[in-house]
Amino acid sequence: MPHDHHDHDDHPHSHLPSDPALRVRALETLLTDKGLVDPAALDEIIDIYQNKIGPQNGARVVAKAWSDPAFKASLLSDADKVLREMDLYGRQGEHMVVVENTAQTHNMVVCTLCSCYPWPVLGIPPGWYKSDAYRARAVREPRKVLADFGVTLAEDKAVRVWDSTAEVRYLVFPERPEGTEGMDEEALAALVTRDSMIGTGLPKGAA
Amino acid sequence: MTRPHDMGGRFGDGPVQPEPQGIAQSGAEWHPRALALTLAAGAHGKWNIDTSRHAREALAPKDYAKFSYYEKWMAGLGFYRRRALFGVARTPGGHRGHG
């Protein structure tokens, strides 16, 4: 390639277009040409994360745990085992910890260093989860961040913030809303929002 | 030494902007491509979560602050490409790779 000499100077981006969309295309071409990336794999990955893996997976887990005390106990004590059995295990979710919201404690998840997130149960993180504002503020003023989401908790309820790592990913197990006693798992799953499993929201119907 | 990615507790950031529930939507058309390219590059076992984190965290502070999320990813992947082609561990900031 004619521009390879640039790779040895201190301006490593100078050989790629500054426009990000063009840079992605250029990198794709370069990596494909060198056999480092299989182009067929790209479309499949995009399809999986745009259409198949998302918070509906986690909602299914939460609804089942709301309905089945033994399942809930297993989930809270060994999430990896339970999620593996449900085929909700894999990349960016190899070591999962489920943290339970109670009347006394509200849990909230952040990744201050990066954007670590439990992909198999929640999919790709939303933009705000990856934002500097969330990463910086969630650990310093979680109640103010919750207010950005329109969530106000009782003052005597403790807020516990979990900082994710490359290895350990957290899923919040929200409180089951009152008045949902007769609902089946499918109806319950529809109440479980993505943000309620990150801890920046509450399930639909929750006070 | 504190690096720019270590931003937990930092002051000066504005409000968090919530988004609709459900599967997170892409901010731009090229974002899913950038994501897929980054994941697919892992197929050879030389580019993984640790190397990719290192590549992004080793960005020059001014680039880390300036780049959008997936721009950081692409800069990191550029690091991988250079290393894969030349066998030299140079970080995106132009320094020899170290933690």
Side-chain angles (χ1 to χ4, degrees):
Chain A
M1 286 175 290
H3 299 299
D4 276 355
H5 63 280
H6 284 301
D7 288 309
H8 298 286
D9 66 23
D10 280 340
H11 304 283
H13 307 302
S14 57
H15 61 295
L16 288 173
S18 59
D19 178 86
L22 294 177
R23 192 184 309 163
V24 172
R25 207 175 301 164
L27 267 170
E28 183 177 334
T29 303
L30 289 164
L31 291 168
T32 303
D33 287 351
K34 290 290 171 188
L36 295 168
V37 155
D38 171 11
L42 298 179
D43 291 327
E44 192 185 334
I45 291 170
I46 290 171
D47 178 53
I48 287 172
Y49 286 107
Q50 283 193 330
N51 302 307
K52 300 194 174 118
I53 299 184
Q56 69 277 7
N57 293 357
R60 200 151 53 84
V61 177
V62 170
K64 190 171 170 62
W66 279 345
S67 307
D68 180 346
F71 177 83
K72 175 185 159 182
S74 304
L75 181 69
L76 293 175
S77 67
D78 189 352
D80 288 342
K81 181 170 177 287
V82 171
L83 296 172
R84 202 188 289 265
E85 285 165 3
M86 292 181 79
D87 202 21
L88 295 175
Y89 182 86
R91 173 158 38 205
Q92 308 270 351
E94 292 91 346
H95 303 286
M96 288 290 305
V97 174
V98 177
V99 290
E100 182 184 15
N101 284 352
T102 66
Q104 291 79 36
T105 305
H106 179 88
N107 294 283
M108 191 170 150
V109 181
V110 64
C111 174
T112 61
L113 292 174
C114 180
S115 53
C116 298
Y117 190 74
W119 289 17
V121 283
L122 295 184
I124 299 296
W128 59 259
Y129 186 85
K130 303 178 283 194
S131 70
D132 287 9
Y134 187 72
R135 290 165 55 187
R137 293 178 53 219
V139 287
R140 181 164 55 78
E141 47 184 18
R143 285 176 197 273
K144 286 187 181 173
V145 171
L146 287 173
D148 290 345
F149 288 85
V151 173
T152 308
L153 301 174
E155 279 182 29
D156 60 354
K157 185 176 265 202
V159 179
R160 186 171 292 166
V161 181
W162 300 83
D163 196 355
S164 311
T165 69
E167 280 79 31
V168 180
R169 309 297 167 95
Y170 300 93
L171 183 77
V172 173
F173 178 57
E175 286 182 277
R176 179 171 176 162
E178 288 178 19
T180 59
E181 290 74 14
M183 287 185 169
D184 63 15
E185 280 184 33
E186 196 180 338
L188 288 170
L191 303 177
V192 184
T193 62
R194 178 194 65 220
D195 291 0
S196 73
M197 294 181 281
I198 308 173
T200 55
L202 302 174
K204 292 177 194 166
Chain B
M1 187 180 79
T2 300
R3 297 279 306 171
H5 67 272
D6 189 4
M7 62 178 69
R10 185 176 80 180
F11 284 81
D13 292 273
V16 178
Q17 308 286 345
E19 291 165 35
Q21 302 298 320
I23 294 180
Q25 298 302 300
S26 307
E29 208 175 321
W30 60 273
H31 289 179
R33 207 81 194 157
L35 171 80
L37 198 53
T38 299
L39 297 186
H44 293 270
K46 292 176 180 169
W47 172 252
N48 58 31
I49 187 168
D50 299 315
T51 49
S52 61
R53 280 280 295 270
H54 171 68
R56 290 168 212 150
E57 292 173 2
L59 280 168
K62 66 175 168 46
D63 286 340
Y64 193 92
K66 185 175 66 182
F67 286 172
S68 68
Y69 184 74
Y70 283 115
E71 282 182 279
K72 293 187 191 82
W73 280 40
M74 288 301 94
L77 201 53
F79 166 50
Y80 167 63
R81 182 189 78 88
R82 289 189 299 283
R83 194 176 61 172
L85 297 187
F86 299 103
V88 176
R90 291 175 75 87
T91 67
H95 309 290
R96 291 284 162 178
H98 59 79

